[in-house]
Amino acid sequence: MNATTHPVARTPVPRDDRDVRLAWACLACGVLAVIVSFVVGGAIGTALGVEEGALASTSVALLVLAVVVALLAVPVLLVWRFANRARARGDARGRVPAIVLTVLAAVVVGVNLLSWLAGVVLDGA
């Protein structure tokens, strides 16, 4: 066997998992952002005169939804940034927290939006 027919073993490159760890940290911050968004959304509703258990007006609901989306967008954008940086270095493990956080954020926004829409439909009927 010569050098052209025998594959040369590659020297393993040590994995730098910093971006993966940062992606997981963003997932933890995203869970915290969900909790903060519920607290801030309730505080905004209370500050704008929405009584407990009452249906918010369209403008208040859109304002709260915009705040929730803004609070959740920051960790989602950061987790995807770190996941893509890790993937560029050959480490695809950062996709797991990115997908989990994206789904979590979409569910939180969707549930809030759908619950308000259901209240509008049921209150109008």
Side-chain angles (χ1 to χ4, degrees):
M1 237 185 236
N2 58 26
T4 58
T5 60
H6 182 66
V8 177
R10 287 185 155 178
T11 305
V13 178
R15 287 193 348 193
D16 180 17
D17 62 348
R18 178 175 173 256
D19 290 324
V20 174
R21 285 183 283 133
L22 288 172
W24 282 104
C26 286
L27 175 61
C29 290
V31 172
L32 182 63
V34 169
I35 296 168
V36 169
S37 69
F38 280 114
V39 172
V40 169
I44 290 172
T46 303
L48 294 177
V50 178
E51 296 177 12
E52 184 69 31
L55 185 64
S57 66
T58 303
S59 60
V60 172
L62 290 176
L63 176 65
V64 169
L65 185 65
V67 169
V68 168
V69 167
L71 283 171
L72 294 177
V74 173
V76 168
L77 292 174
L78 285 174
V79 75
W80 278 106
R81 178 175 187 244
F82 294 129
N84 287 334
R85 279 180 26 181
R87 191 182 64 197
R89 291 189 175 104
D91 193 354
R93 295 177 299 158
R95 288 190 55 187
V96 173
I99 291 170
V100 169
L101 185 56
T102 302
V103 169
L104 176 67
V107 166
V108 167
V109 170
V111 165
N112 281 324
L113 185 60
L114 290 176
S115 66
W116 179 76
L117 287 174
V120 168
V121 169
L122 294 175
D123 192 38

